[in-house]
Amino acid sequence: SDAGFFSCLGTEIGAQPLGTTLSRTTVRGRDYDLDVLGGTILVAADNKEINTIEDLRNKRIGAVKISEFAGGQSQFWAMMKSGLDYIMDPDQVTFTNSQEDVVRGVLDGSWDVGFVRTGVVEQTEDLETGELVDPELFKVVSPRIYIMDTGDLFPYLHSTPVVPEWPLFAKEDLDRIVAEEVSISLINFEYHTLVGRAIHDCLDAANSTAQRDFCETAPPSYWLVDARCDTTPELAELAYQAGLAGHHSGFRPARSHFELRTIVQDIGFV
């Protein structure tokens, strides 16, 4: 679930997080498995009028939807903290229901400012050329940096606090044993995926039938020293394909949603 939705569900039905998504992304040639995201306030790179959040007064804003945390709510919170009212102070707020359309609207001048989650610009396609848009065409307003648990810098500039990636959650009355088993399975998913990715890397580099046969039959422990004993080539393949389809590499133990919930409460959405 979207992080903002999860905060509401936690209040309404007592939802509990079982795991936090690890979002697989490549930035400037380096692969990351991100367990946090942020909200970005975008303007065109050549926009000289908008440099701070305070400059959003009387400007046209494109956002995803009012229920979207990183494409609306978090930026509204940032405006509030800068003394602006997200209803009264902009000239107009347009909800597109699409992160990519917000990005394109900044490019074509439909609005002055765009609210999207981190990483969206780099994944947005130019509908005329079919190529990805150039991130250098944009400027991040009031940019922040964040140091991740690994000690690395979060690879995207952002305008709001970072919060946990999407959680997989369960209702409060779910049987405890079931919740524990699902949570463990989510965490193990990453280890299966690592083996599947290594097998596919091997297959991509194979130059002969013999090499392909080796890639497909070598034991999981060959690809990953600490591979789980229950990992099989079939399970690794299933996990790998699921990760590709969902743009993630697995799950980690659930991160705290305390700060996120505080933001949503401050802005009045729960």
Side-chain angles (χ1 to χ4, degrees), residues 196-237:
R197 186 178 302 138
I199 293 173
H200 273 268
D201 288 344
C202 177
L203 290 169
D204 290 342
N207 294 316
S208 68
T209 301
Q211 289 178 345
R212 291 186 62 85
D213 288 343
F214 174 79
C215 297
E216 293 172 345
T217 58
S221 58
Y222 177 84
W223 308 111
L224 189 67
V225 174
D226 56 350
R228 292 184 51 79
C229 60
D230 59 349
T231 300
T232 64
E234 294 77 17
L235 184 56
E237 174 67 10

Short mmCIF file of all heavy atoms in Angstrom, two decimals, residues 196-237:
data_model
loop_
_atom_site.label_atom_id
_atom_site.label_comp_id
_atom_site.label_asym_id
_atom_site.label_seq_id
_atom_site.Cartn_x
_atom_site.Cartn_y
_atom_site.Cartn_z
N GLY A 196 18.39 -15.80 -8.23
CA GLY A 196 17.80 -15.71 -9.56
C GLY A 196 18.51 -14.69 -10.42
O GLY A 196 18.74 -14.92 -11.63
N ARG A 197 18.89 -13.56 -9.85
CA ARG A 197 19.59 -12.52 -10.62
C ARG A 197 20.97 -13.02 -11.06
O ARG A 197 21.40 -12.78 -12.20
CB ARG A 197 19.73 -11.25 -9.77
CG ARG A 197 20.32 -10.06 -10.53
CD ARG A 197 20.39 -8.84 -9.66
NE ARG A 197 19.08 -8.48 -9.16
CZ ARG A 197 18.84 -8.09 -7.91
NH1 ARG A 197 19.83 -8.02 -7.04
NH2 ARG A 197 17.63 -7.77 -7.54
N ALA A 198 21.67 -13.74 -10.17
CA ALA A 198 22.98 -14.27 -10.52
C ALA A 198 22.89 -15.29 -11.65
O ALA A 198 23.73 -15.31 -12.55
CB ALA A 198 23.63 -14.90 -9.28
N ILE A 199 21.86 -16.12 -11.61
CA ILE A 199 21.66 -17.10 -12.69
C ILE A 199 21.42 -16.40 -14.02
O ILE A 199 21.98 -16.77 -15.05
CB ILE A 199 20.49 -18.05 -12.34
CG1 ILE A 199 20.86 -18.93 -11.15
CG2 ILE A 199 20.12 -18.90 -13.55
CD1 ILE A 199 19.71 -19.78 -10.63
N HIS A 200 20.61 -15.34 -14.00
CA HIS A 200 20.32 -14.62 -15.25
C HIS A 200 21.55 -13.88 -15.75
O HIS A 200 21.77 -13.80 -16.97
CB HIS A 200 19.15 -13.66 -15.04
CG HIS A 200 17.82 -14.31 -15.26
ND1 HIS A 200 17.17 -14.30 -16.48
CD2 HIS A 200 17.03 -15.03 -14.42
CE1 HIS A 200 16.04 -14.97 -16.39
NE2 HIS A 200 15.92 -15.41 -15.15
N ASP A 201 22.36 -13.35 -14.84
CA ASP A 201 23.61 -12.71 -15.27
C ASP A 201 24.51 -13.73 -15.96
O ASP A 201 25.18 -13.41 -16.96
CB ASP A 201 24.34 -12.10 -14.05
CG ASP A 201 23.64 -10.86 -13.52
OD1 ASP A 201 22.79 -10.29 -14.24
OD2 ASP A 201 23.94 -10.47 -12.37
N CYS A 202 24.54 -14.94 -15.41
CA CYS A 202 25.34 -16.02 -16.01
C CYS A 202 24.82 -16.36 -17.40
O CYS A 202 25.59 -16.49 -18.36
CB CYS A 202 25.30 -17.25 -15.10
SG CYS A 202 26.18 -18.69 -15.74
N LEU A 203 23.51 -16.49 -17.51
CA LEU A 203 22.90 -16.83 -18.80
C LEU A 203 23.15 -15.75 -19.84
O LEU A 203 23.39 -16.05 -21.02
CB LEU A 203 21.40 -17.07 -18.64
CG LEU A 203 21.00 -18.34 -17.89
CD1 LEU A 203 19.50 -18.32 -17.55
CD2 LEU A 203 21.33 -19.58 -18.72
N ASP A 204 23.10 -14.49 -19.41
CA ASP A 204 23.35 -13.38 -20.34
C ASP A 204 24.77 -13.41 -20.89
O ASP A 204 25.02 -12.97 -22.02
CB ASP A 204 23.08 -12.04 -19.66
CG ASP A 204 21.61 -11.81 -19.38
OD1 ASP A 204 20.77 -12.49 -20.00
OD2 ASP A 204 21.30 -10.95 -18.52
N ALA A 205 25.70 -13.90 -20.08
CA ALA A 205 27.10 -13.92 -20.48
C ALA A 205 27.51 -15.23 -21.16
O ALA A 205 28.61 -15.33 -21.71
CB ALA A 205 28.00 -13.68 -19.27
N ALA A 206 26.63 -16.24 -21.14
CA ALA A 206 26.98 -17.55 -21.68
C ALA A 206 27.17 -17.50 -23.19
O ALA A 206 26.40 -16.88 -23.91
CB ALA A 206 25.89 -18.56 -21.32
N ASN A 207 28.21 -18.20 -23.66
CA ASN A 207 28.52 -18.22 -25.09
C ASN A 207 28.36 -19.60 -25.72
O ASN A 207 28.67 -19.77 -26.90
CB ASN A 207 29.97 -17.75 -25.31
CG ASN A 207 30.17 -16.30 -24.94
OD1 ASN A 207 29.35 -15.46 -25.28
ND2 ASN A 207 31.26 -16.01 -24.24
N SER A 208 27.90 -20.56 -24.93
CA SER A 208 27.77 -21.91 -25.48
C SER A 208 26.66 -22.65 -24.73
O SER A 208 26.22 -22.24 -23.65
CB SER A 208 29.08 -22.68 -25.34
OG SER A 208 29.36 -22.94 -23.97
N THR A 209 26.24 -23.76 -25.32
CA THR A 209 25.23 -24.60 -24.68
C THR A 209 25.73 -25.13 -23.36
O THR A 209 24.99 -25.20 -22.36
CB THR A 209 24.84 -25.76 -25.60
OG1 THR A 209 24.33 -25.23 -26.82
CG2 THR A 209 23.77 -26.63 -24.95
N ALA A 210 26.99 -25.49 -23.30
CA ALA A 210 27.56 -26.02 -22.07
C ALA A 210 27.54 -24.97 -20.96
O ALA A 210 27.24 -25.29 -19.79
CB ALA A 210 29.00 -26.49 -22.31
N GLN A 211 27.85 -23.74 -21.31
CA GLN A 211 27.83 -22.68 -20.31
C GLN A 211 26.41 -22.42 -19.82
O GLN A 211 26.18 -22.21 -18.63
CB GLN A 211 28.44 -21.40 -20.89
CG GLN A 211 29.94 -21.49 -21.10
CD GLN A 211 30.50 -20.23 -21.73
OE1 GLN A 211 29.77 -19.38 -22.26
NE2 GLN A 211 31.82 -20.08 -21.67
N ARG A 212 25.45 -22.47 -20.74
CA ARG A 212 24.06 -22.27 -20.34
C ARG A 212 23.59 -23.41 -19.43
O ARG A 212 22.89 -23.17 -18.45
CB ARG A 212 23.16 -22.16 -21.58
CG ARG A 212 23.35 -20.91 -22.40
CD ARG A 212 22.32 -20.82 -23.53
NE ARG A 212 20.97 -20.74 -22.99
CZ ARG A 212 20.38 -19.61 -22.60
NH1 ARG A 212 21.02 -18.46 -22.69
NH2 ARG A 212 19.14 -19.63 -22.14
N ASP A 213 24.00 -24.61 -19.76
CA ASP A 213 23.63 -25.75 -18.92
C ASP A 213 24.19 -25.58 -17.51
O ASP A 213 23.50 -25.89 -16.52
CB ASP A 213 24.15 -27.06 -19.53
CG ASP A 213 23.37 -27.45 -20.78
OD1 ASP A 213 22.26 -26.91 -20.99
OD2 ASP A 213 23.88 -28.30 -21.54
N PHE A 214 25.41 -25.07 -17.43
CA PHE A 214 26.01 -24.84 -16.11
C PHE A 214 25.22 -23.80 -15.34
O PHE A 214 24.93 -23.97 -14.15
CB PHE A 214 27.46 -24.40 -16.25
CG PHE A 214 28.08 -24.00 -14.94
CD1 PHE A 214 28.53 -24.97 -14.05
CD2 PHE A 214 28.20 -22.67 -14.58
CE1 PHE A 214 29.08 -24.61 -12.83
CE2 PHE A 214 28.74 -22.29 -13.37
CZ PHE A 214 29.20 -23.27 -12.50
N CYS A 215 24.86 -22.71 -16.02
CA CYS A 215 24.10 -21.64 -15.35
C CYS A 215 22.80 -22.17 -14.77
O CYS A 215 22.38 -21.77 -13.67
CB CYS A 215 23.79 -20.51 -16.34
SG CYS A 215 25.22 -19.66 -17.02
N GLU A 216 22.16 -23.07 -15.50
CA GLU A 216 20.83 -23.54 -15.11
C GLU A 216 20.88 -24.67 -14.10
O GLU A 216 19.87 -24.98 -13.47
CB GLU A 216 20.07 -23.99 -16.37
CG GLU A 216 19.75 -22.83 -17.31
CD GLU A 216 19.18 -23.29 -18.64
OE1 GLU A 216 19.30 -24.50 -18.95
OE2 GLU A 216 18.60 -22.45 -19.37
N THR A 217 22.04 -25.32 -13.93
CA THR A 217 22.10 -26.48 -13.03
C THR A 217 22.99 -26.29 -11.81
O THR A 217 22.93 -27.11 -10.89
CB THR A 217 22.60 -27.72 -13.81
OG1 THR A 217 23.89 -27.44 -14.37
CG2 THR A 217 21.63 -28.08 -14.92
N ALA A 218 23.81 -25.26 -11.79
CA ALA A 218 24.67 -25.04 -10.62
C ALA A 218 23.82 -24.82 -9.38
O ALA A 218 22.76 -24.18 -9.45
CB ALA A 218 25.58 -23.84 -10.87
N PRO A 219 24.25 -25.33 -8.22
CA PRO A 219 23.46 -25.18 -7.00
C PRO A 219 23.39 -23.71 -6.55
O PRO A 219 24.31 -22.93 -6.83
CB PRO A 219 24.23 -26.03 -5.98
CG PRO A 219 25.63 -26.04 -6.49
CD PRO A 219 25.51 -26.05 -7.99
N PRO A 220 22.31 -23.32 -5.87
CA PRO A 220 22.19 -21.94 -5.39
C PRO A 220 23.39 -21.46 -4.59
O PRO A 220 23.76 -20.28 -4.65
CB PRO A 220 20.91 -21.98 -4.55
CG PRO A 220 20.10 -23.06 -5.18
CD PRO A 220 21.10 -24.10 -5.59
N SER A 221 24.01 -22.35 -3.82
CA SER A 221 25.16 -21.95 -2.99
C SER A 221 26.35 -21.51 -3.85
O SER A 221 27.25 -20.82 -3.36
CB SER A 221 25.57 -23.09 -2.07
OG SER A 221 25.88 -24.26 -2.81
N TYR A 222 26.37 -21.92 -5.12
CA TYR A 222 27.45 -21.46 -6.00
C TYR A 222 27.29 -19.97 -6.27
O TYR A 222 28.29 -19.24 -6.38
CB TYR A 222 27.41 -22.24 -7.32
CG TYR A 222 28.45 -21.77 -8.31
CD1 TYR A 222 29.75 -22.25 -8.26
CD2 TYR A 222 28.13 -20.83 -9.30
CE1 TYR A 222 30.72 -21.81 -9.17
CE2 TYR A 222 29.09 -20.39 -10.20
CZ TYR A 222 30.37 -20.88 -10.13
OH TYR A 222 31.32 -20.44 -11.01
N TRP A 223 26.07 -19.51 -6.40
CA TRP A 223 25.80 -18.11 -6.74
C TRP A 223 25.80 -17.21 -5.52
O TRP A 223 26.12 -16.03 -5.64
CB TRP A 223 24.44 -18.01 -7.44
CG TRP A 223 24.30 -18.94 -8.60
CD1 TRP A 223 23.51 -20.03 -8.69
CD2 TRP A 223 25.02 -18.88 -9.83
NE1 TRP A 223 23.66 -20.67 -9.90
CE2 TRP A 223 24.59 -19.97 -10.63
CE3 TRP A 223 25.97 -18.00 -10.36
CZ2 TRP A 223 25.08 -20.21 -11.90
CZ3 TRP A 223 26.46 -18.24 -11.63
CH2 TRP A 223 26.02 -19.33 -12.38
N LEU A 224 25.44 -17.75 -4.39
CA LEU A 224 25.34 -16.95 -3.17
C LEU A 224 25.85 -17.80 -2.01
O LEU A 224 25.25 -18.84 -1.69
CB LEU A 224 23.89 -16.53 -2.93
CG LEU A 224 23.62 -15.52 -1.81
CD1 LEU A 224 24.23 -14.16 -2.16
CD2 LEU A 224 22.11 -15.36 -1.59
N VAL A 225 26.96 -17.38 -1.40
CA VAL A 225 27.59 -18.18 -0.36
C VAL A 225 26.62 -18.50 0.77
O VAL A 225 26.58 -19.63 1.28
CB VAL A 225 28.84 -17.46 0.19
CG1 VAL A 225 29.43 -18.22 1.39
CG2 VAL A 225 29.88 -17.29 -0.90
N ASP A 226 25.83 -17.50 1.15
CA ASP A 226 24.88 -17.72 2.26
C ASP A 226 23.47 -17.95 1.73
O ASP A 226 22.48 -17.56 2.36
CB ASP A 226 24.90 -16.55 3.24
CG ASP A 226 24.62 -15.20 2.57
OD1 ASP A 226 24.60 -15.14 1.32
OD2 ASP A 226 24.43 -14.20 3.30
N ALA A 227 23.38 -18.63 0.58
CA ALA A 227 22.06 -18.95 0.01
C ALA A 227 21.26 -19.79 1.00
O ALA A 227 21.82 -20.63 1.73
CB ALA A 227 22.22 -19.70 -1.31
N ARG A 228 19.97 -19.59 1.01
CA ARG A 228 19.12 -20.36 1.91
C ARG A 228 19.05 -21.82 1.44
O ARG A 228 19.10 -22.10 0.24
CB ARG A 228 17.72 -19.76 1.94
CG ARG A 228 17.65 -18.39 2.60
CD ARG A 228 16.20 -17.90 2.67
NE ARG A 228 15.34 -18.92 3.24
CZ ARG A 228 15.23 -19.17 4.55
NH1 ARG A 228 15.92 -18.47 5.41
NH2 ARG A 228 14.41 -20.12 4.98
N CYS A 229 18.92 -22.72 2.41
CA CYS A 229 18.88 -24.13 2.06
C CYS A 229 17.60 -24.50 1.31
O CYS A 229 17.56 -25.53 0.63
CB CYS A 229 19.03 -25.00 3.31
SG CYS A 229 17.75 -24.77 4.56
N ASP A 230 16.56 -23.67 1.43
CA ASP A 230 15.30 -23.98 0.72
C ASP A 230 15.21 -23.29 -0.64
O ASP A 230 14.21 -23.41 -1.34
CB ASP A 230 14.09 -23.59 1.58
CG ASP A 230 14.06 -22.11 1.94
OD1 ASP A 230 15.07 -21.42 1.73
OD2 ASP A 230 13.03 -21.65 2.46
N THR A 231 16.26 -22.56 -1.04
CA THR A 231 16.26 -21.95 -2.37
C THR A 231 16.53 -23.00 -3.43
O THR A 231 17.47 -23.78 -3.32
CB THR A 231 17.33 -20.84 -2.46
OG1 THR A 231 17.07 -19.83 -1.49
CG2 THR A 231 17.31 -20.20 -3.85
N THR A 232 15.71 -23.02 -4.45
CA THR A 232 15.90 -23.89 -5.61
C THR A 232 16.00 -23.01 -6.85
O THR A 232 15.56 -21.85 -6.83
CB THR A 232 14.73 -24.87 -5.77
OG1 THR A 232 13.53 -24.10 -6.04
CG2 THR A 232 14.52 -25.71 -4.51
N PRO A 233 16.55 -23.52 -7.95
CA PRO A 233 16.56 -22.72 -9.19
C PRO A 233 15.17 -22.26 -9.60
O PRO A 233 15.00 -21.13 -10.08
CB PRO A 233 17.17 -23.67 -10.21
CG PRO A 233 18.05 -24.57 -9.40
CD PRO A 233 17.30 -24.78 -8.11
N GLU A 234 14.17 -23.11 -9.39
CA GLU A 234 12.80 -22.76 -9.76
C GLU A 234 12.27 -21.62 -8.89
O GLU A 234 11.64 -20.68 -9.38
CB GLU A 234 11.89 -23.99 -9.65
CG GLU A 234 12.19 -25.10 -10.62
CD GLU A 234 13.41 -25.93 -10.25
OE1 GLU A 234 13.84 -25.85 -9.07
OE2 GLU A 234 13.92 -26.66 -11.11
N LEU A 235 12.53 -21.70 -7.59
CA LEU A 235 12.08 -20.65 -6.67
C LEU A 235 12.83 -19.36 -6.93
O LEU A 235 12.25 -18.26 -6.89
CB LEU A 235 12.27 -21.11 -5.22
CG LEU A 235 11.75 -20.18 -4.13
CD1 LEU A 235 10.27 -19.88 -4.32
CD2 LEU A 235 12.01 -20.80 -2.75
N ALA A 236 14.12 -19.46 -7.22
CA ALA A 236 14.91 -18.28 -7.53
C ALA A 236 14.39 -17.58 -8.78
O ALA A 236 14.31 -16.36 -8.85
CB ALA A 236 16.37 -18.67 -7.71
N GLU A 237 14.02 -18.38 -9.79
CA GLU A 237 13.48 -17.81 -11.02
C GLU A 237 12.14 -17.12 -10.76
O GLU A 237 11.88 -16.02 -11.27
CB GLU A 237 13.30 -18.91 -12.07
CG GLU A 237 12.60 -18.48 -13.35
CD GLU A 237 13.39 -17.50 -14.19
OE1 GLU A 237 14.58 -17.26 -13.88
OE2 GLU A 237 12.82 -16.96 -15.15
#
